[in-house]
Amino acid sequence: MPFIHTQVHQDTPQAQRQGIVDGIHQALIAAIGMPEDELFNRVSAYAPGDFFYSRSFNGMARSGKLVVVEITMRRGRSDAMKRDLYARIARNLKANAGVAPDDVFIFTHENDYSDWSVGGGKFAMALVQQPGPA
């Protein structure tokens, strides 16, 4: 279950925010096989004076409205899957929300089942392992 934190410029309209969330979600489903009902995306807004970044790093032409997509997910996706995921996110954000691909900044954190509790205070590892004797 990936958990997404998306950061957008404070002037990003609600409809565009929804298009961004939908575009990321559809990319996760297509690229890594995430189930459709695993939508967990926290959207935060930043003011211009709260976020500083290079508009030209790595040959990009970034605007003043960078979209940052931070993905925390379980370890195990191949580099090819991640490459596909990143490309799909950029394409979807352009198509769904009018975000220029150079304005999409993505990074991931990977961890294990033991690092999650997804509800009820239950250890997520219990979802993938048989419980041992008490």
Side-chain angles (χ1 to χ4, degrees):
M1 179 204 86
F3 182 87
I4 316 305
H5 181 202
T6 304
Q7 298 177 46
V8 298
H9 188 276
Q10 67 184 8
D11 293 339
T12 306
Q14 184 60 37
Q16 188 179 26
R17 291 177 192 212
Q18 186 65 56
I20 291 167
V21 168
D22 292 344
I24 295 166
H25 189 67
Q26 291 305 315
L28 286 160
I29 291 167
I32 68 168
M34 184 183 78
E36 285 192 42
D37 70 340
E38 289 189 13
L39 172 60
F40 295 93
N41 190 327
R42 179 173 49 117
V43 178
S44 300
Y46 63 85
D50 293 337
F51 184 28
F52 299 88
Y53 56 89
S54 170
R55 293 197 184 197
S56 61
F57 174 73
N58 212 24
M60 299 294 137
R62 295 179 184 90
S63 75
K65 295 189 176 183
L66 192 67
V67 175
V68 179
V69 181
E70 182 177 357
I71 303 170
T72 303
M73 63 183 169
R74 185 180 39 80
R75 189 177 284 71
R77 276 56 177 224
S78 68
D79 287 349
M81 291 173 84
K82 291 177 194 174
R83 194 175 301 114
D84 183 39
L85 174 63
Y86 304 156
R88 286 177 185 271
I89 289 173
R91 279 194 312 267
N92 289 356
L93 268 55
K94 182 177 182 183
N96 292 10
V99 176
D102 282 1
D103 281 340
V104 180
F105 189 94
I106 307 165
F107 62 99
T108 62
H109 305 279
E110 294 182 306
N111 54 32
D112 297 307
Y113 279 114
S114 62
D115 298 310
W116 295 82
S117 174
V118 296
K122 296 180 182 177
F123 187 49
M125 186 68 97
L127 299 173
V128 296
Q129 290 182 335
Q130 293 293 325

